[in-house]
Amino acid sequence: QVQLVESGGGLVQAGESLRLSCAASGSIGSVNVMGWYRQAPGNQRELVARITSGGGTNYADSVKGRFTISRNNLKNTVYLQMNSLKPEDTAVYYCNADLRLRERWTFNDYWGQGTQVTVSS
């Protein structure tokens, strides 16, 4: 029905940048909030940033000033520009979308498969 496909992860050195992308496709009626979460080994999944359909944003304190979330509503795509990366940013990054399928009335959460980001010191 719906797929969220992430891309852009990889291995970088501390201080470098990466840009993650996530495209939602399928039988989509409308998309509300889109966001990025991450999970490091042994840790719980945590919110990194999220953005509403109107462009309102929230960030985790640990990434404020370094990461920027944006989206293209026409393409149902969300981006995460990550600058000044640190080793503690190493994690699997997951895309999330709160969306409504066509011919449905309720919104539900959907998740991507995750993309690995590794930052070496």
Side-chain angles (χ1 to χ4, degrees):
Q1 290 178 325
V2 172
Q3 274 193 314
L4 272 63
V5 179
E6 300 123 333
S7 61
L11 171 64
V12 296
Q13 293 189 334
E16 294 184 339
S17 300
L18 279 175
R19 187 183 192 225
L20 305 182
S21 300
C22 171
S25 62
S27 183
I28 297 172
S30 62
V31 183
N32 188 10
V33 179
M34 301 187 80
W36 290 95
Y37 290 72
R38 67 186 181 187
Q39 187 168 18
N43 290 355
Q44 290 188 335
R45 191 173 296 189
E46 63 176 4
L47 173 70
V48 177
R50 59 184 180 180
I51 183 168
T52 68
S53 57
T57 58
N58 293 100
Y59 294 92
D61 288 343
S62 59
V63 306
K64 283 180 181 177
R66 299 188 298 122
F67 291 10
T68 302
I69 190 170
S70 60
R71 66 189 280 176
N72 183 322
N73 289 334
L74 293 178
K75 296 182 178 180
N76 291 327
T77 300
V78 64
Y79 307 95
L80 186 67
Q81 178 66 42
M82 304 185 293
N83 298 329
S84 302
L85 282 160
K86 304 175 180 180
E88 50 263 44
D89 294 318
T90 295
V92 178
Y93 284 69
Y94 296 92
C95 174
N96 172 267
D98 178 40
L99 61 85
R100 178 181 61 81
L101 300 179
R102 288 193 195 117
E103 300 178 352
R104 298 286 178 91
W105 294 104
T106 58
F107 285 79
N108 292 98
D109 264 350
Y110 292 83
W111 293 89
Q113 79 285 355
T115 185
Q116 178 70 45
V117 171
T118 303
V119 185
S120 64
S121 58

